[in-house]
Amino acid sequence: AQKVTQAQTEISVVEKEDVTLDCVYETRDTTYYLFWYKQPPSGELVFLIRRNSFDEQNEISGRYSWNFQKSTSSFNFTITASQVVDSAVYFCALSVSGGTSYGKLTFGQGTILTVHP
Amino acid sequence: NAGVMQNPRHLVRRRGQEARLRCSPMKGHSHVYWYRQLPEEGLKFMVYLQKENIIDESGMPKERFSAEFPKEGPSILRIQQVVRGDSAAYFCASSPGRVTEAFFGQGTRLTVV
């Protein structure tokens, strides 16, 4: 079975601060995919990134960056110079490629990020 | 290419009524997943369907809940005899097949009064 843990329930920062959202995952599969989604106050789920288990290269997209470390089973997400519009719930998720679980996402509990002006 | 379309966006039902939630996947997508987000909780997988087939329903309650994805038309998540505990946001996601990137709809917020 798969498990995703986001230990930080809520984070509060002031605008322009950097913030890191932690994600730790568990799976016995050797091929898997990790995701981050953003859920703004309007409620929709916005896809941010997908990484596969064979690609540990870190990724940067504008103010967002992701650090994938298989050795610690972590896939952390950093927002640099946070803005009020970053306020949202952020979900880390995992899917594996085998059997009937294919494509099925296991989500963490989410981290509520509040960025104050 | 339109995204995943869910309707209605908001649905209010009295206890004991039926709720029908619709999901039209993205064009060319034949795989549909339903997830439920209960208040103060994360998203939980309910069911995975391909056209006309249920592949994995391990997350769906055994009673009152059913799902279908017919050859023609949207996928339907049906909840019979709704109870207050069914109040939640229900999200549908679709993917084109042997890839794992799923695109989500905007969700249906069900309120049972």
Side-chain angles (χ1 to χ4, degrees):
Chain A
Q2 283 66 242
K3 186 177 179 183
V4 176
T5 302
Q6 294 179 252
Q8 303 148 309
T9 305
E10 290 191 54
I11 299 176
S12 183
V13 299
V14 177
E15 216 171 10
K16 296 196 175 74
E17 283 186 28
D18 298 347
V19 58
T20 296
L21 284 61
D22 298 332
C23 173
V24 173
Y25 62 92
E26 295 176 31
T27 180
R28 290 184 179 173
D29 287 70
T30 55
T31 302
Y32 52 89
Y33 299 82
L34 295 162
F35 301 78
W36 277 95
Y37 286 89
K38 173 182 179 180
Q39 187 174 41
S42 50
E44 72 271 24
L45 282 166
V46 178
F47 167 81
L48 295 178
I49 190 171
R50 178 188 75 175
R51 303 296 286 178
N52 72 56
S53 52
F54 299 108
D55 183 2
E56 286 193 73
Q57 198 168 17
N58 291 331
E59 182 154 341
I60 297 174
S61 175
R63 296 185 296 107
Y64 295 170
S65 62
W66 291 269
N67 180 262
F68 176 26
Q69 292 195 340
K70 284 178 81 168
S71 60
T72 55
S73 297
S74 65
F75 186 45
N76 297 337
F77 172 33
T78 297
I79 302 174
T80 303
S82 60
Q83 299 176 3
V84 173
V85 293
D86 296 327
S87 296
V89 183
Y90 290 85
F91 291 98
C92 181
L94 165 74
S95 74
V96 298
S97 64
T100 60
S101 296
Y102 196 92
K104 173 173 112 179
L105 290 165
T106 299
F107 284 87
Q109 287 294 95
T111 297
I112 302 170
L113 173 65
T114 304
V115 181
H116 299 281
Chain B
N1 191 5
V4 179
M5 303 300 291
Q6 288 188 251
N7 66 81
R9 292 288 309 278
H10 300 274
L11 182 61
V12 179
R13 283 288 178 266
R14 295 187 186 280
R15 280 178 296 171
Q17 290 185 321
E18 179 179 286
R20 290 169 68 89
L21 287 61
R22 294 175 185 76
C23 169
S24 296
M26 288 178 70
K27 188 176 179 181
H29 288 195
S30 58
H31 298 235
V32 164
Y33 307 82
W34 285 93
Y35 294 83
R36 177 167 67 172
Q37 184 176 27
L38 291 164
E40 309 302 321
E41 291 190 21
L43 292 108
K44 305 290 186 189
F45 166 81
M46 298 182 74
V47 62
Y48 164 32
L49 310 102
Q50 292 181 25
K51 281 286 186 182
E52 300 184 275
N53 291 303
I54 295 175
I55 306 302
D56 181 353
E57 56 182 347
S58 58
M60 201 146 73
K62 294 287 184 280
E63 296 180 358
R64 302 187 298 107
F65 285 73
S66 62
E68 62 177 13
F69 188 16
K71 189 176 179 181
E72 302 290 338
S75 175
I76 305 286
L77 179 67
R78 185 179 174 204
I79 311 172
Q80 295 178 295
Q81 299 176 327
V82 296
V83 301
R84 289 238 170 93
D86 297 331
S87 295
Y90 292 82
F91 287 92
C92 165
S94 74
S95 70
R98 299 299 288 180
V99 294
T100 56
E101 184 168 342
F103 297 87
F104 280 86
Q106 293 195 301
T108 293
R109 276 143 189 88
L110 171 66
T111 302
V112 180
V113 297

